[in-house]
Amino acid sequence: MPQRTNSDRNILNTTQKPVFDVNDNHVNDNHVNDNHVYQTDIAIIGAGAIGSLLYCQLAAIKQPLLLTRSRSVGATSHDDCSTITLETLNGDSLHQPCIQANINQLNKAALANIKLVIVCVKAYQVTDAIASILALIPQSCHILLLHNGMGPHLEVLALLKQHPQLKLGLSLGTTSQAALKLAPMQVRHTGKGKSIIGHLSGPVMPLAIQNQLLAAVEDMSVVDDIVTSLWQKLLVNCAINPLTALAQCANGELAQPQFQQQIEAITQECIMVAKADGVNLSLLDSVAIINQVIKLTANNFSSMHQDIHHNRKTEILQINGYVVARAAHHGLTAAMNQSMLTEITALESAL
């Protein structure tokens, strides 16, 4: 994979011109974007930590478009251009121009050039996010789901089957990069990590677009069996997320002996359910991977920890809840994962 040079990274700190055309009748007071023709070929839905980090990384190659459902934060009424501040791993602050558009205020012509939509919202928001753009994106567009947990891909597949005329391609992905959203349009990159993507259904991702991703995101690769890779990542999330949320601790605390029995029990159940779904994983290797992640991200807080800490809805249904649901589908029992689901759901209810 191509390595980014210092000059590539410096692009993040430029004041490049927004990559869309605006005719003389530019945005009115209601912030309608109908007259914009966005020239970029990649759009991102979701301005959370990972969505914002990915935006900045892609902008080093070619500036993408950020799709939202609300008025652009910090944007002017003339060009929808705001700024994302990225705090890098070495402590620098880079200010990246960010082009935004409100999904609710777009027509189809505005997104005619979009070839890839990357969905970086919470897992429970994925299906609604896809439904909101189906009438706007070109038939040749490709969709990449990049979120925690599993399950939304099944809902999206069902949704796309209802619109066979669109012939949209669908890929799935996951990333171990760590990021922390400090404020609207301000994100801190807190850890390196591998990112993987893989094809699921429909037409494959255009090679030129795929190469943009591989060049922009460090340590990203393409795999043939993305579902197996997602199950492997799910095991990590099933162990780390609920335990850190319940203990309200950093990831590194799970290296203590009292957590190891719980980690192994959760993982054993996940492997049993994965096997019933046709995915074979090793218990020994999986526990080793989980403990490696705990060590490498010792000072980080999991997304579920942060959700509970900030009184937000978690993705427990798409993490341990997915294992419980698939277990029930196969007539199996996943008691430890059910316990995590019950306890986190109770915490959510008490918020």
Side-chain angles (χ1 to χ4, degrees):
M1 187 180 70
Q3 296 295 314
R4 286 193 293 173
T5 64
N6 287 334
S7 61
D8 290 328
R9 294 186 176 92
N10 287 339
I11 295 175
L12 293 173
N13 213 14
T14 66
T15 55
Q16 63 198 79
K17 186 177 180 180
V19 289
F20 59 85
D21 296 332
V22 183
N23 68 17
D24 292 337
N25 298 316
H26 51 245
V27 182
N28 61 24
D29 290 339
N30 292 324
H31 216 59
V32 175
N33 300 300
D34 285 354
N35 294 319
H36 295 204
V37 179
Y38 296 92
Q39 298 303 311
T40 186
D41 45 17
I42 297 180
I44 297 174
I45 301 180
I50 293 299
S52 298
L53 174 63
L54 190 60
Y55 188 102
C56 292
Q57 291 173 332
L58 282 168
I61 305 299
K62 183 178 180 182
Q63 191 170 30
L65 169 68
L66 182 64
L67 294 175
T68 70
R69 276 182 161 176
S70 59
R71 183 180 176 89
S72 303
V73 179
T76 71
S77 61
H78 294 280
D79 60 11
D80 269 0
C81 185
S82 55
T83 300
I84 292 182
T85 298
L86 171 66
E87 293 186 13
T88 68
L89 289 170
N90 61 14
D92 293 337
S93 290
L94 305 179
H95 306 289
Q96 172 60 48
C98 174
I99 309 306
Q100 302 184 54
N102 187 329
I103 295 172
N104 297 327
Q105 297 173 340
L106 289 176
N107 60 23
K108 191 166 185 175
L111 300 182
N113 295 309
I114 299 296
K115 295 180 175 63
L116 174 67
V117 175
I118 307 174
V119 182
C120 296
V121 298
K122 290 286 191 179
Y124 51 81
Q125 298 171 322
V126 168
T127 305
D128 285 344
I130 298 298
S132 71
I133 62 168
L134 284 183
L136 298 173
I137 57 178
Q139 290 188 4
S140 59
C141 196
H142 199 87
I143 297 171
L144 170 61
L145 305 185
L146 195 64
H147 58 78
N148 274 336
M150 292 183 70
H153 66 293
L154 301 177
E155 298 173 5
V156 173
L157 281 173
L159 179 62
L160 295 183
K161 284 181 180 179
Q162 297 173 22
H163 303 274
Q165 75 283 3
L166 295 179
K167 297 181 174 59
L168 299 172
L170 178 64
S171 290
L172 307 180
T174 184
T175 182
S176 296
Q177 290 195 98
L180 179 63
K181 187 173 181 179
L182 302 174
M185 309 305 286
Q186 185 176 0
V187 63
R188 177 182 295 153
H189 192 186
T190 57
K192 294 183 178 182
K194 294 182 182 296
S195 301
I196 55 173
I197 58 174
H199 182 71
L200 185 66
S201 70
V204 299
M205 186 184 300
L207 185 59
I209 295 294
Q210 179 177 290
N211 287 339
Q212 279 191 53
L213 290 176
L214 296 179
V217 183
E218 186 177 359
D219 210 1
M220 173 175 272
S221 59
V222 180
V223 298
D224 292 329
D225 185 1
I226 187 62
V227 173
T228 294
S229 297
L230 290 179
W231 262 105
Q232 187 68 76
K233 176 66 181 295
L234 183 69
L235 267 61
V236 175
N237 283 334
C238 281
I240 294 177
N241 273 271
L243 291 177
T244 54
L246 291 170
Q248 278 296 287
C249 67
N251 293 354
E253 295 298 311
L254 299 187
Q256 297 181 32
Q258 63 264 33
F259 291 106
Q260 291 304 301
Q261 186 174 353
Q262 290 174 291
I263 289 172
E264 185 165 334
I266 291 170
T267 306
Q268 201 162 24
E269 289 180 358
C270 290
I271 289 173
M272 172 190 67
V273 176
K275 185 175 182 180
D277 262 2
V279 175
N280 293 308
L281 300 170
S282 160
L283 177 60
L284 186 64
D285 291 345
S286 296
V287 171
I289 290 171
I290 292 168
N291 283 320
Q292 182 183 35
V293 172
I294 289 171
K295 181 179 179 180
L296 292 175
T297 63
N299 296 322
N300 294 346
F301 294 95
S302 74
S303 60
M304 195 172 294
H305 169 282
Q306 289 294 287
D307 287 338
I308 292 296
H309 181 74
H310 293 289
N311 299 327
R312 298 188 300 241
K313 183 177 179 179
T314 74
E315 296 169 298
I316 190 67
L317 284 175
Q318 292 76 31
I319 299 179
N320 303 83
Y322 181 74
V323 176
V324 171
R326 296 308 296 168
H329 175 80
H330 295 294
L332 302 172
T333 301
M336 194 64 186
N337 281 275
Q338 178 65 66
S339 176
M340 296 294 100
L341 173 61
T342 301
E343 291 184 60
I344 294 295
T345 302
L347 276 182
E348 285 183 328
S349 301
L351 298 179

